[in-house]
Amino acid sequence: MRFDWIDTLPFWPDQISDHAATVDTIMVAFSFVMVLFVAPIFVLMAFFAFKYRRGSKADRMGRPRSLPWLEATWALVPLVVMMVFFYQAARAYFDMHDEMENALRIEVIGKQWMWKTQHPNGKRQINQLNVPVGVPVVLNMISQDVIHSMYLPALRIKQDVLPHRYTKLRFVATETGTFHLTCAEYCGTLHSRMGGSLVVMEREAYDAWVEEAPDAVAPVERGRRLFTEAGCRGCHAEDAPVEAPLLDGLYGSAVPLAGGGSVEADDNYLRTAILRPNAHVVAGFDPIMPSFRQQLDEAQILDLIAYIQALPTGGREQGEGR
Amino acid sequence: MNAIYTRDAPDYIRAAYSLRSWLFSTDHKRIGVLYLISITVFFFLGALAAGLIRLELFTAEADLVTPDVYNRAFSLHGVLMVWFFLIPSIPAVFGNFLIPTMIGANDLAFPRLNLASWWVFMGGGLLTFIALLLGGVDTGWTFYTPYSSMFSNSYVALTILGVFIAGFSTIFTGLNIIVTVHKLRAPGMTWMRLPLFVWSHYATSIVMILATPVLAMTLLLVTAERVLGIGVFDPALGGDPLLFQHLFWFYSHPAVYIMILPSMGVMSEVITAFAHKRVFGYAYVAFSSIAIAAIGFLVWGHHMFVAGQSVYASMMFSAMSFLVAVPSAIKVYNWTATLYKGQVTIGVPLLYAMAFIGLFVVGGLTGLFLATLALDVHVHDTYFVVAHFHYIMVGASVMAYMAALHFWWPKITGRMYPEVLGRWSAVIAFLGFNVTFFPQFLAGYIGQPRRYQTYWPELETLNQISTLGVALLAVGYIMPFFYFVRSLWRGPRAPANPWDAFGLEWMIPSPPPTEPFKDTPHVTWEAYDYPRPEDQGARDGR
Ligand SMILES: [Cu+2]
Ligand SMILES: [Cu+2]
């Protein structure tokens, strides 16, 4: 069930996705139910205070000391009703974390005090995020310094952006227009200036806009060059002089680890593999890979990951991530 | 009821006059008064910072102070109000003053530890104040890493040290209350005869001694990272920033109950006294305090739904947060039922108590909105949260503190305050509070993030209403300050039991002698043993 009239209320913020509509419905229905639980308290308090004011003639015989059935009722009835909301909201929360098919992936780097975004063809923006309407979008986000939080109020979503770890934010916008984009986690002096706009465009308009980027180089392409220049290829190639795993089909597969067990090769795994190679060592190999923490910046790491992601599967079994 | 435990000894105020006799007194009543004075100072300092914040937010643009000053103002406001006002407020002032008397003892179990707690508290306060004079801290009261540990250019370590030290005073107080309640109850004062004020303080004290050490360790680790570069929280040093949030909220969510449970104890006392009737469902109200303290330790992750924790963890924390609301609801419903068939007088304390219930209910229920996963994702870190916790911590806790102050002022000082002014101040504070904070729910739902010096133009009206509300609220707080001080000289002398209330503290003179009980009382009555209409007969309408 969804209340479609909500966003016509005065003052109500823009509501531009199905998820936002669900959130608003939960909000309004929950408020309504709460009033039902609270009104008796206020009404009865006023009524009792008046009726039983000192000296009034009201009958006071047979005061109950406590009534277990009454205690049970007012403890459990609200709880059971609220479980409905708990469930609905949990479902919406799980949905927004679900992976989406064929999502448009946009890279986001947060730093004190700006947002940098990058589209699949390498087109970059600052403090602005353009997306096509009706297309699933996944933001892959990381911070270069402190914790920030990507907040898109019109979509009713936010996600903290952490240093050294990718977090994701997924949405499908259903209306075009320009909306707020802002940082919700306090990040220092100009925290309140760390914002800009979310621009939702018609699909064709987005395609045309994103194409018009004369000197953008696709991250996959930059990653390919970097893979050679940084020396990765010196080890990670069939004809390399050292024993290092081939990266074909790695992304999204399950990697067996030297200590036993295995781990899914997602973005965070690749990032760790490059910056702290000894955190998980691949089974059957020696931990000889050096850390690249000093050499690479966040954008370059994203390029390398994009490149590894784009490698042919090489017959490897793919998990969900792909 | 008459004062049945009269003594010829001078009261605790006139027992000695030197400054030394106050600063080094081990009398729980004097220490309570010392706390009262100190936290009043901290309260007004913190309120000044709040005033500055709201003034800056009167317009959407930054036109009053620089961003750095703004950030320091809200950080100072949070640090002072949480650790130097709210946490000590009711337990260290009224708990200190009343718990021994309420259970028939002449002092707390460890009087010198009690004195130490005040000194330690002032030491922590002084360090924090020095940090403020040097230039302040800009991390917010939450000290989130890695901002606090590696990036902030402010007096983080000094402030943390101040809070760390003040934390010991909380632990001392908690320890003292627990031991006192276990060991010093007068004969006949069984657990199920304890005033609910004592029950709620007992629950609070458990939280104090279990949670505060976690805060202390966490703050030490932040300092170690900041000063020595030991990597704990900063991922660049191999740490984990979410670890800080887990530890911090493992303390800070229970700390919310340190701030609210004592208020609930005050409510039970005030409502029964002014309904002139035993509390409805004594056992339920008593054990709900314990339930809140226990479940309160299992919900901290509701502060981290968007922090990047696992969705399953979030789900569990959400469910537990719904559960922790149940005992609070039980209390509110029982208080309402207490008025049923009572003999209600609307005194100033009851007005404050009703204001408490109104604001606490709104604050508590909006807390449930925040426990609701998908809703929280939207309103987390917005003014919705700000409004929610001010409804709890200012709306409820400060209202309860004011209720307590009016209720026990005659007992503490031996003087009455002016009733009419008292009523006005209660009503003004209630209105001012709502005008200030209700618009913030709306601003938050529209998406105004907290800790923002500037905001979108469409939010200006709501923010201006909020700022105007502060003026009203300020009147509501400043009025009592003046009439209380004035009452010390001009107020009529208070009788031992001005409210016709039931309880050991009302059976001793006002103000009480240093050691009110010459012989330990033998308790033969249950708590709130008000006359029942059946026993009185319908003769005088009772
Ligand atoms: Cu930020
Ligand atoms: Cu909490």
Side-chain angles (χ1 to χ4, degrees):
Chain A
M1 185 183 63
R2 211 153 75 197
F3 302 155
D4 290 327
W5 44 266
I6 294 178
D7 63 336
T8 61
L9 293 173
F11 280 126
W12 205 260
D14 291 320
Q15 180 207 73
I16 58 161
S17 68
D18 287 351
H19 177 80
T22 307
V23 170
D24 285 355
T25 303
I26 296 175
M27 173 78 189
V28 169
F30 203 9
S31 309
F32 183 72
V33 169
M34 298 246 170
V35 171
L36 285 187
F37 288 137
V38 170
I41 300 175
F42 293 146
V43 172
L44 286 178
M45 250 186 8
F47 176 67
F48 291 159
F50 177 74
K51 180 165 184 205
Y52 299 109
R53 67 193 180 279
R54 185 157 231 175
S56 78
K57 293 256 172 320
D59 175 25
R60 293 179 172 83
M61 290 298 170
R63 294 170 170 174
R65 280 167 66 91
S66 98
L67 298 170
W69 65 266
L70 187 60
E71 303 281 351
T73 312
W74 64 38
L76 296 181
V77 171
L79 185 67
V80 170
V81 174
M82 281 187 248
M83 280 302 116
V84 176
F85 292 95
F86 161 76
Y87 171 75
Q88 293 295 345
R91 225 176 54 177
Y93 181 77
F94 274 73
D95 285 350
M96 69 173 268
H97 286 88
D98 266 356
E99 289 184 16
M100 300 186 298
E101 300 263 306
N102 302 324
L104 169 68
R105 173 169 158 144
I106 297 178
E107 313 291 341
V108 176
I109 299 177
K111 59 176 257 189
Q112 284 176 326
W113 291 281
M114 63 162 83
W115 294 106
K116 298 199 270 188
T117 59
Q118 178 180 275
H119 297 259
N121 69 342
K123 178 154 182 170
R124 287 175 174 171
Q125 294 178 283
I126 284 180
N127 288 341
Q128 192 165 337
L129 174 63
N130 289 26
V131 296
V133 70
V135 173
V137 176
V138 51
L139 305 182
N140 181 50
M141 310 183 293
I142 195 151
S143 162
Q144 229 167 275
D145 37 51
V146 302
I147 300 176
H148 302 278
S149 187
M150 170 61 82
Y151 181 25
L152 303 166
L155 295 159
R156 309 285 186 271
I157 53 174
K158 70 167 67 68
Q159 169 64 52
D160 284 4
V161 177
L162 308 174
H164 290 254
R165 189 178 131 194
Y166 297 111
T167 51
K168 296 208 158 54
L169 195 55
R170 304 177 173 86
F171 61 87
V172 187
T174 51
E175 267 173 50
T176 56
T178 302
F179 309 96
H180 295 296
L181 173 161
T182 191
C183 173
E185 182 64 62
Y186 175 66
C187 56
T189 309
L190 294 183
H191 171 51
S192 42
R193 295 283 181 203
M194 186 165 164
S197 41
L198 166 73
V199 182
V200 185
M201 313 166 87
E202 293 295 351
R203 263 183 105 139
E204 305 74 47
Y206 172 82
D207 290 340
W209 170 85
V210 86
E211 281 314 318
E212 149 205 323
D215 34 48
V217 182
V220 180
E221 191 43 45
R222 280 200 304 264
R224 183 194 320 282
R225 286 183 217 152
L226 199 55
F227 200 72
T228 311
E229 285 159 18
C232 316
R233 181 146 286 138
C235 295
H236 293 282
E238 301 230 35
D239 50 359
V242 293
E243 285 276 314
L246 283 180
L247 304 183
D248 292 6
L250 172 60
Y251 188 73
S253 69
V255 180
L257 297 181
S262 73
V263 46
E264 192 200 316
D266 57 9
D267 298 282
N268 278 315
Y269 171 82
L270 295 183
R271 187 171 197 288
T272 314
I274 299 169
L275 300 187
R276 293 192 293 132
N278 295 342
H280 334 267
V281 177
V282 184
F285 294 91
D286 292 329
I288 51 163
M289 175 167 160
S291 164
F292 286 83
R293 185 179 304 176
Q294 307 302 330
Q295 288 93 306
L296 304 171
D297 65 24
E298 289 300 341
Q300 290 174 312
I301 298 167
L302 284 171
D303 292 342
L304 282 172
I305 293 176
Y307 168 69
I308 296 173
Q309 215 179 336
L311 288 171
T313 56
R316 239 199 265 217
E317 237 183 72
Q318 299 303 308
E320 260 196 314
R322 187 104 181 169
Chain B
M1 260 162 277
N2 288 322
I4 58 168
Y5 297 101
T6 44
R7 296 197 59 181
D8 290 335
D11 64 60
Y12 79 100
I13 300 173
R14 270 161 276 265
Y17 288 95
S18 64
L19 185 62
R20 218 190 124 78
S21 75
W22 278 93
L23 294 184
F24 295 98
S25 170
T26 53
D27 179 358
H28 65 106
K29 297 183 281 303
R30 288 197 162 200
I31 297 171
V33 172
L34 288 179
Y35 263 115
L36 175 64
I37 297 168
S38 351
I39 66 169
T40 304
V41 173
F42 287 125
F43 174 81
F44 281 109
L45 269 178
L48 275 181
L52 183 68
I53 296 168
R54 283 297 347 153
L55 222 51
E56 169 65 68
L57 292 177
F58 192 72
T59 55
E61 280 313 308
D63 31 28
L64 187 63
V65 294
T66 64
D68 279 325
V69 170
Y70 182 82
N71 295 343
R72 281 161 170 76
F74 72 68
S75 304
L76 176 81
H77 169 70
V79 168
L80 285 184
M81 287 304 203
V82 169
W83 284 297
F84 295 97
F85 175 71
L86 280 167
I87 287 191
S89 62
I90 295 175
V93 177
F94 299 102
N96 232 330
F97 197 97
L98 294 162
I99 286 175
T101 316
M102 282 180 164
I103 63 172
N106 275 329
D107 207 327
L108 287 167
F110 306 120
R112 281 192 288 183
L113 186 68
N114 195 18
L115 177 62
S117 97
W118 181 75
W119 276 98
V120 165
F121 174 72
M122 292 311 281
L126 189 70
L127 283 183
T128 309
F129 192 68
I130 293 175
L132 161 71
L133 293 183
L134 288 174
V137 68
D138 72 346
T139 58
W141 76 282
T142 47
F143 299 114
Y144 266 27
T145 55
Y147 183 71
S148 64
S149 61
M150 304 307 284
F151 290 85
S152 169
N153 291 314
S154 63
Y155 290 85
V156 180
L158 197 57
T159 313
I160 281 183
L161 194 64
V163 173
F164 176 79
I165 291 175
F168 282 93
S169 81
T170 313
I171 298 174
F172 292 170
T173 304
L175 199 71
N176 226 333
I177 291 177
I178 290 181
V179 177
T180 306
V181 175
H182 272 278
K183 295 311 234 184
L184 299 188
R185 278 173 294 123
M189 180 56 88
T190 59
W191 284 89
M192 296 314 278
R193 284 178 173 174
L194 286 176
L196 291 168
F197 182 83
V198 177
W199 267 107
S200 70
H201 274 77
Y202 184 78
T204 310
S205 304
I206 294 175
V207 180
M208 283 175 164
I209 62 171
L210 291 182
T212 318
V214 178
L215 174 73
M217 290 182 287
T218 313
L219 293 181
L220 269 192
L221 290 174
V222 172
T223 313
E225 182 164 290
R226 188 173 170 89
V227 178
L228 306 173
I230 297 170
V232 184
F233 304 121
D234 184 7
L237 302 173
D240 181 348
L242 289 193
L243 176 63
F244 173 84
Q245 296 179 26
H246 280 293
L247 293 172
F248 182 81
W249 292 113
F250 183 82
Y251 160 79
S252 282
H253 187 84
V256 171
Y257 297 120
I258 300 181
M259 298 180 244
I260 199 70
L261 275 169
S263 320
M264 295 170 156
V266 171
M267 284 307 107
S268 299
E269 299 303 314
V270 169
I271 290 172
T272 50
F274 284 84
H276 209 65
K277 175 173 168 276
R278 180 181 160 85
V279 71
F280 185 81
Y282 173 94
Y284 295 95
V285 181
F287 285 110
S288 60
S289 291
I290 305 292
I292 289 175
I295 307 174
F297 274 104
L298 304 174
V299 302
W300 77 89
H302 63 208
H303 298 269
M304 299 172 63
F305 291 159
V306 300
Q309 80 184 355
S310 126
V311 287
Y312 299 100
S314 292
M315 194 181 74
M316 285 314 296
F317 283 122
S318 167
M320 292 309 288
S321 306
F322 275 90
L323 216 55
V324 80
V326 173
S328 300
I330 289 180
K331 279 179 193 281
V332 173
Y333 286 123
N334 277 294
W335 292 327
T336 311
T338 300
L339 296 179
Y340 177 63
K341 297 200 169 180
Q343 294 278 0
V344 185
T345 11
I346 311 264
V348 179
L350 188 68
L351 275 183
Y352 275 112
M354 287 177 151
F356 169 99
I357 293 181
L359 302 178
F360 175 71
V361 163
V362 176
L365 293 181
T366 48
L368 287 178
F369 284 81
L370 294 169
T372 309
L373 287 163
L375 277 189
D376 180 68
V377 170
H378 174 45
V379 290
H380 176 79
D381 268 335
T382 68
Y383 264 82
F384 192 93
V385 176
V386 175
H388 153 69
F389 72 74
H390 280 87
Y391 265 80
I392 296 287
M393 288 152 80
V394 186
S397 294
V398 178
M399 285 295 171
Y401 178 76
M402 296 299 278
L405 205 53
H406 286 83
F407 188 51
W408 284 296
W409 184 258
K411 182 56 59 187
I412 295 174
T413 64
R415 300 287 185 157
M416 299 301 290
Y417 55 82
E419 177 76 17
V420 175
L421 282 182
R423 290 184 186 190
W424 274 108
S425 74
V427 171
I428 292 175
F430 179 76
L431 291 179
F433 179 86
N434 281 302
V435 177
T436 307
F437 290 102
F438 196 81
Q440 298 183 3
F441 283 122
L442 305 178
Y445 200 78
I446 295 173
Q448 182 179 354
R450 66 194 285 200
R451 297 170 169 174
Y452 261 36
Q453 187 189 14
T454 58
Y455 50 83
W456 312 317
E458 66 259 36
L459 294 165
E460 204 157 47
T461 318
L462 289 171
N463 277 280
Q464 290 181 344
I465 297 174
S466 181
T467 298
L468 292 178
V470 170
L472 212 54
L473 190 56
V475 174
Y477 288 149
I478 292 172
M479 258 168 67
F481 178 79
F482 283 108
Y483 65 66
F484 274 135
V485 172
R486 185 171 181 280
S487 79
L488 292 177
W489 287 273
R490 296 292 172 81
R493 298 226 172 251
N497 187 2
W499 317 121
D500 198 9
F502 192 87
L504 269 168
E505 83 266 34
W506 303 111
M507 299 181 193
I508 60 172
S510 310
T514 307
E515 299 209 325
F517 305 111
K518 186 151 145 251
D519 309 307
T520 312
H522 280 257
V523 179
T524 53
W525 56 83
E526 50 175 22
Y528 316 113
D529 200 5
Y530 288 98
R532 295 189 312 143
E534 285 84 346
D535 307 337
Q536 294 253 318
R539 187 168 35 91
D540 49 7
R542 293 192 168 198

